[in-house]
Amino acid sequence: MSHPLEITNLVKRFGGLTATDDVSFHIEQGQSVGLIGPNGAGKTTIFSQIMGELRQNSGTIRLYGEDIGDLSTPARIRRGVSRTYQVPRPFGDMSVVENIRVGLMPDSIWKMITQGPDRDREIELALSVGFSENDLNRRPDELSMGDLRKLEMARTMATGPSVMLLDEVFAGLTKGEISQIGELIQQMRRDGMTFLIVSHDLGALEPLIDRAIAINYGSKIAEGAYADVISDPNVRSSYLGVA
Amino acid sequence: MGLRWYHFAMWAGFIALMYAMPELVSKGTLRTFIFANFLAVFAISWDVLSGRTGYISFGHPFLIGIGAYTTAILTKRFDVAIEISIPIAVVVTMIASTLFILPALRIRGSYFALVTLAFMELIYQLVQVIRPDLTGGTRGMSGIQTLTRGAVNGYYMSLSLMLAVAISMWLLMRTRVGTALSAIGMSEDSVLGSGLSTTRLKLFAFLTGAFVAGLGGAFYVHYLGSIAPRALFDINFVFTIIVAALIGGSSTIIGPMVGAFFLTYLLEYLRPYLPGAERYFIYGGIALLLYMYQPKGIYHIVMQAWERFKPGKSA
Amino acid sequence: MTQIIIQGLLLSGLYALIAMGFTLIFSIGRVLNLAYGAYLLIGGYVYFYFAQMMGMPKLVGVLLAVIVGAAMGLAKYRMIVKPLKGDHVAIEISTLILAIVLQSGVILAFGDSSKILLPIIPGVERLAGATIPYSNLLAAIVSWAILISLYFFVNKTHTGRAMQAVSMDAKGAAISGIDSDRINMITWGISGALGALAGVFFASYTQLTPSMWVAPLIISVAIVIVGGIGSIIGTLIVAHIIGFMEIIVTAMIAPELRGVFTMVLIIGVLVIRPQGLFGREEL
Ligand SMILES: Nc1ncnc2c1ncn2[C@@H]1O[C@H](COP(=O)(O)OP(=O)(O)OP(=O)(O)O)[C@@H](O)[C@H]1O
Ligand SMILES: [Mg+2]
């Protein structure tokens, strides 16, 4: 039985800096895993390698058993993995529905031309992440940080993933927005989505995950149940002054 | 494609007005209109390639020139029929545009703009030294077969070309591919993150832009009957094309058309006062002010007013 | 052979000077300032106006050119670059428009025809069969002097190091209390002054025409990028590669092909090694 996501001995160097240092882990079907670590630990770098935006120096990345380490980003997305960005990157001159439209597009220029957009699906996705009817034609510069993160979620969901990587989903959000997005993730977990979630807000993260992985200076320092990971002496010292 | 009645009404009204133009204005004005039509074609082409994707080409005359030189050489030196040489010119231009894609895969922003400028400078140097017996060297070529005689016919020809290009690009860019190209200009990473091959999209933009540029260049040289490298591969020409696209309104089709007519008119209006290249002083000054005031162009200013009383306010 | 070496050194020195003002802006703002070419143009014409038409002392002419260049740099930063807040596309396009406006302004004021600048120092020196005009020699000496002082300014003075800090990380620099606006002003001013000075020398090397700015602009941008952004040494090396290549092509292959080789080198390096030959690995 192959896992949705399995990473083995992943290494990424930036010049002299080893940003990912021999990291291995896997996620089981329908599981939600938290990826924690202090600033600069290398969390985002792992996401970028899974998505193929950065090329690993060595190690393998498997999606449902298939080695995707050499595929292009769109090819990986077609196989069912998708991510959100720590800093939302919406299409600035497009409305909420148009942003989602890009996520829904097939990777075929011919189909883009000959088939019109699926407006019902666009609206359905927008509403499912918590936008209201009035928000549909808003532009990113009129949206709050919470709305931008919702938009990022919707566009990511539009690619039809079965494994989602969420980078700092709660950063910059109000309490209300945090619980709204938390609820959305819970809903998707019930529907069988597999998650890897990065968050500095451990309180908000805890109820959303089945277990946690901690990294520091690019290496995995702990893995297991959230409570065990968070009380691990190595993890505690890596967070010293932060938590 | 979400076409509405007022789209048809506006196009029909515009087309009717444009075809009636020879009855309404003098021959001299008509010649101005001919240039505006060609400029609109070039500006639309630039906008498809650069305006949407954000890969700013400062070397657009490179593409136009390849189309123009190909058909000029084929017809004049090898007696190829125009009906054959123009399609060949378009294909050659599209092939040449793939030279642009190479840098566009690796570099972004300012670097790309620079490479395209270098491409234009390179071809300017090349046509003068490589096989001047074919290209006419520094002096260029004259006596190239023309498609039309007289201002009125020239006008109808340029207008038909411009309308064909404008309407087909308008329809194409209304589809999702237009949205995707604009998305590249806003955030290329997110387009990739949406599972779309940006390489393929950029290639599509370049080929489409080159198709229009090659077509426009070929028709233009068969309208003028001559070609001069200094006037063609000229920074002033680059400037005129880009400003037409931007002043009118980038990422639209109407915008570059409006910009082309606005600028051609301005240039013509200034002629009695400033006969030579110094016209660009005022022309550029106005362009700079307009651009700094509203980078999205005249189209955007008008659209904001239009939004207020649009028929059937639904979408 | 000696001829080639001497000519090569002279031309390379000139190119290095032209590129230097550009590298300052490019490394700080990462913007392609197309109007940089216009500094050369304005510098050349200001010198021509005061020193040749008004008959002022040549040194005064050079000084005025430098002052006008610096003022232009400052004005451009204030009026165009700053309001556009780092929007690269908008800055590139508006500096292109500005360059065209200035070019046509020059045509308006001085006409379309080319002008010959009288050499700053008349006379030639003969050395091993090579003829060296004094003003070309002066240009090379001045550019070396400026390069060396710039190198020390950027690396050794407080302001220079602040400039480096802003170029590497504007936010970080702001946190450590550097007034990046002031640093930007200084940089744009110096860049304008250097451009205008280079324009005086460049115009006396070739001739003064309203379109004389395009080729040196492309060459200087290329030198900066090929040399690696922010690397003064890299700029220097590449200026010599291009300078010597042009002289060798002119002398040994064909003078008409001079520009072709330069453009091919630029395109080639940008496509194959976009971070430049000696630069930091990032874009
Ligand atoms: N493109 C890059 N080039 C060089 N170094 C990089 C690059 N991207 C990241 N780094 C470095 O790699 C390390 C890991 O960065 P990464 O962004 O993965 O950390 P992170 O855990 O996501 O941090 P944060 O919590 O701040 O988001 C950092 O030291 C960072 O400076
Ligand atoms: Mg991160």
Side-chain angles (χ1 to χ4, degrees):
Chain A
M1 170 65 200
S2 55
H3 302 297
L5 183 67
E6 178 169 13
I7 285 165
T8 349
N9 305 116
L10 200 64
V11 176
K12 174 71 195 175
R13 287 184 215 97
F14 293 115
L17 176 90
T18 309
T20 308
D21 192 355
D22 199 23
V23 170
S24 306
F25 64 84
H26 68 262
I27 308 179
E28 277 118 42
Q29 179 61 42
Q31 260 202 346
S32 174
V33 174
L35 183 62
I36 62 173
N39 285 99
K43 305 175 296 283
T44 301
T45 306
I46 291 178
F47 276 22
S48 304
Q49 292 170 87
I50 297 173
M51 296 310 299
E53 293 153 348
L54 283 176
R55 184 79 168 77
Q56 70 276 10
N57 291 102
S58 63
T60 56
I61 303 165
R62 288 177 188 280
L63 200 69
Y64 296 103
E66 182 190 2
D67 187 347
I68 58 167
D70 290 326
L71 298 179
S72 71
T73 302
R76 296 180 196 210
I77 291 173
R78 268 199 299 284
R79 284 166 177 72
V81 60
S82 197
R83 77 175 283 190
T84 66
Y85 292 97
Q86 183 166 358
V87 180
R89 302 172 179 180
F91 305 117
D93 280 338
M94 289 186 189
S95 65
V96 166
V97 277
E98 285 171 324
N99 265 277
I100 296 172
R101 181 171 307 159
V102 177
L104 279 170
M105 282 186 200
D107 188 20
S108 146
I109 288 177
W110 178 247
K111 282 188 192 149
M112 285 182 200
I113 296 172
T114 51
Q115 297 169 7
D118 184 347
R119 289 184 199 278
D120 295 339
R121 181 87 184 107
E122 287 165 9
I123 294 172
E124 184 189 325
L125 274 166
L127 299 181
S128 77
V129 295
F131 281 113
S132 71
E133 299 270 356
N134 299 331
D135 296 329
L136 297 180
N137 289 314
R138 290 244 171 91
R139 273 159 210 281
D141 53 13
E142 304 166 325
L143 298 179
S144 69
M145 190 42 130
D147 287 340
L148 289 176
R149 294 219 182 269
K150 285 191 236 162
L151 182 56
E152 187 90 1
M153 288 279 282
R155 192 176 48 71
T156 307
M157 284 157 64
T159 65
S162 43
V163 178
M164 279 180 81
L165 318 175
L166 307 180
D167 201 350
E168 296 292 359
V169 266
F170 300 122
L173 305 197
T174 63
K175 279 262 177 304
E177 289 171 334
I178 290 178
S179 70
Q180 205 179 9
I181 293 206
E183 193 39 56
L184 174 65
I185 294 173
Q186 293 292 22
Q187 175 61 45
M188 291 168 71
R189 284 177 75 196
R190 286 194 286 276
D191 295 343
M193 181 70 73
T194 303
F195 280 110
L196 181 61
I197 307 174
V198 167
S199 175
H200 273 116
D201 186 339
L202 299 178
L205 181 66
E206 185 185 357
L208 303 179
I209 54 177
D210 299 306
R211 62 194 169 87
I213 296 169
I215 60 168
N216 193 21
Y217 294 117
S219 321
K220 187 168 88 176
I221 53 172
E223 177 170 9
Y226 173 80
D228 298 342
V229 168
I230 211 66
S231 54
D232 184 289
N234 286 329
V235 177
R236 296 191 76 86
S237 69
S238 78
Y239 265 99
L240 214 67
V242 178
Chain B
M1 293 187 193
L3 295 177
R4 286 169 211 278
W5 64 266
Y6 56 82
H7 289 140
F8 289 100
M10 284 196 317
W11 276 113
F14 177 66
I15 292 170
L17 176 73
M18 292 303 280
Y19 274 99
M21 206 56 84
E23 311 294 327
L24 305 175
V25 301
S26 73
K27 285 244 164 63
T29 314
L30 220 47
R31 290 221 160 76
T32 312
F33 270 66
I34 296 174
F35 184 71
N37 283 332
F38 279 112
L39 183 57
V41 171
F42 299 143
I44 289 173
S45 143
W46 184 86
D47 191 58
V48 169
L49 196 153
S50 292
R52 283 169 197 270
T53 61
Y55 280 81
I56 300 301
S57 157
F58 279 140
H60 217 56
F62 169 79
L63 298 175
I64 296 168
I66 290 200
Y69 264 104
T70 305
T71 184
I73 290 171
L74 285 177
T75 51
K76 190 166 164 76
R77 312 275 186 227
F78 300 101
D79 289 320
V80 177
I82 287 190
E83 309 84 74
I84 298 170
S85 72
I86 291 183
I88 294 179
V90 171
V91 172
V92 171
T93 312
M94 289 170 75
I95 294 172
S97 79
T98 57
L99 287 176
F100 273 22
I101 193 79
L102 221 60
L105 295 183
R106 310 199 36 155
I107 55 188
R108 290 185 185 182
S110 309
Y111 300 80
F112 179 74
L114 174 75
V115 178
T116 56
L117 190 60
F119 266 118
M120 180 177 85
E121 201 58 26
L122 176 65
I123 194 161
Y124 171 58
Q125 313 255 1
L126 279 180
V127 291
Q128 298 182 67
V129 293
I130 306 283
R131 297 297 303 269
D133 54 320
L134 289 182
T135 63
T138 314
R139 267 189 277 129
M141 278 186 268
S142 56
I144 299 163
Q145 195 181 341
T146 54
L147 282 165
T148 54
R149 256 168 230 284
V152 176
N153 286 333
Y155 174 75
Y156 281 132
M157 191 262 290
S158 63
L159 176 65
S160 307
L161 175 74
M162 191 271 280
L163 287 174
V165 164
I167 293 175
S168 49
M169 287 302 127
W170 184 71
L171 288 172
L172 183 64
M173 290 303 147
R174 281 182 72 78
T175 68
R176 288 190 290 177
V177 84
T179 313
L181 294 184
S182 301
I184 289 185
M186 297 174 206
S187 170
E188 187 167 342
D189 294 328
S190 292
V191 176
L192 204 60
S194 303
L196 306 181
S197 160
T198 48
T199 305
R200 207 183 305 144
L201 282 166
K202 282 186 274 185
L203 188 59
F204 178 77
F206 286 23
L207 289 175
T208 312
F211 174 86
V212 176
L215 195 67
F219 272 91
Y220 192 46
V221 78
H222 287 302
Y223 162 72
L224 289 176
S226 62
I227 193 168
R230 187 60 287 179
L232 185 60
F233 303 116
D234 181 20
I235 192 96
N236 278 326
F237 188 37
V238 177
F239 156 82
T240 310
I241 295 169
I242 296 181
V243 166
L246 292 173
I247 290 303
S250 185
S251 277
T252 66
I253 297 298
I254 306 289
M257 284 162 59
V258 171
F261 275 84
F262 176 75
L263 289 181
T264 310
Y265 244 78
L266 186 60
L267 216 50
E268 225 23 59
Y269 178 78
L270 292 172
R271 192 187 288 280
Y273 311 101
L274 300 166
E278 59 269 34
R279 270 178 294 166
Y280 287 93
F281 185 63
I282 294 178
Y283 186 72
I286 291 175
L288 191 59
L289 286 179
L290 258 174
Y291 186 69
M292 297 288 289
Y293 169 70
Q294 176 52 278
K296 287 181 183 159
I298 299 172
Y299 177 81
H300 192 77
I301 301 172
V302 175
M303 273 320 264
Q304 280 177 332
W306 164 248
E307 285 295 327
R308 303 221 176 90
F309 48 83
K310 184 153 113 181
K313 230 181 176 172
S314 59
Chain C
M1 194 57 211
T2 337
Q3 178 84 12
I4 287 181
I5 291 176
I6 292 171
Q7 296 287 354
L9 280 174
L10 293 181
L11 183 65
S12 309
L14 189 58
Y15 279 171
L17 178 60
I18 296 175
M20 208 46 68
F22 196 85
T23 203
L24 286 178
I25 297 299
F26 208 63
S27 61
I28 282 214
R30 277 315 134 78
V31 288
L32 184 57
N33 171 17
L34 283 165
Y36 181 74
Y39 300 154
L40 302 179
L41 181 70
I42 297 297
Y45 274 93
V46 167
Y47 172 78
F48 172 76
Y49 179 74
F50 287 108
Q52 224 151 306
M53 286 171 67
M54 307 280 284
M56 288 188 185
K58 283 169 183 159
L59 198 61
V60 176
V62 175
L63 217 60
L64 284 169
V66 169
I67 291 171
V68 172
M72 270 178 58
L74 289 177
K76 187 155 62 188
Y77 173 68
R78 279 276 133 184
M79 280 152 43
I80 293 185
V81 177
K82 210 169 159 223
L84 290 176
K85 292 190 203 79
D87 178 345
H88 281 214
V89 171
I91 293 176
E92 280 158 28
I93 286 169
S94 46
T95 55
L96 169 75
I97 303 178
L98 182 66
I100 299 285
V101 170
L102 290 171
Q103 176 187 347
S104 26
V106 163
I107 298 177
L108 199 60
F110 297 94
D112 226 340
S113 59
S114 58
K115 312 251 183 300
I116 303 289
L117 274 194
L118 298 178
I120 297 178
I121 307 173
V124 294
E125 171 76 43
R126 275 173 217 289
L127 190 89
T131 319
I132 314 164
Y134 279 129
S135 34
N136 290 6
L137 197 60
L138 180 69
I141 293 171
V142 168
S143 54
W144 274 99
I146 287 177
L147 289 178
I148 292 167
S149 30
L150 202 62
Y151 184 81
F152 281 102
F153 174 70
V154 170
N155 288 302
K156 301 280 181 245
T157 66
H158 181 73
T159 312
R161 279 201 230 104
M163 280 165 68
Q164 277 190 318
V166 173
S167 93
M168 281 174 209
D169 180 1
K171 247 192 240 133
I175 291 167
S176 45
I178 294 172
D179 179 355
S180 72
D181 194 43
R182 197 180 70 92
I183 296 297
N184 265 306
M185 298 276 287
I186 294 175
T187 315
W188 281 84
I190 296 180
S191 159
L194 287 179
L197 183 64
V200 177
F201 286 116
F202 188 74
S204 51
Y205 186 84
T206 57
Q207 54 182 357
L208 200 56
T209 72
S211 58
M212 69 177 221
W213 59 277
V214 182
L217 173 73
I218 295 180
I219 289 175
S220 59
V221 187
I223 289 174
V224 170
I225 293 176
V226 175
I229 292 153
S231 160
I232 291 185
I233 304 290
T235 304
L236 200 57
I237 296 173
V238 176
H240 282 79
I241 295 178
I242 293 188
F244 271 95
M245 191 176 72
E246 291 203 349
I247 296 291
I248 291 171
V249 170
T250 308
M252 304 205 163
I253 307 177
E256 315 88 83
L257 287 179
R258 175 175 171 161
V260 173
F261 276 80
T262 312
M263 293 308 143
V264 170
L265 178 77
I266 295 170
I267 294 170
V269 171
L270 278 177
V271 172
I272 295 162
R273 224 184 123 76
Q275 72 274 29
L277 296 178
F278 309 98
R280 294 187 288 246
E281 180 153 357
E282 43 118 358
L283 277 185

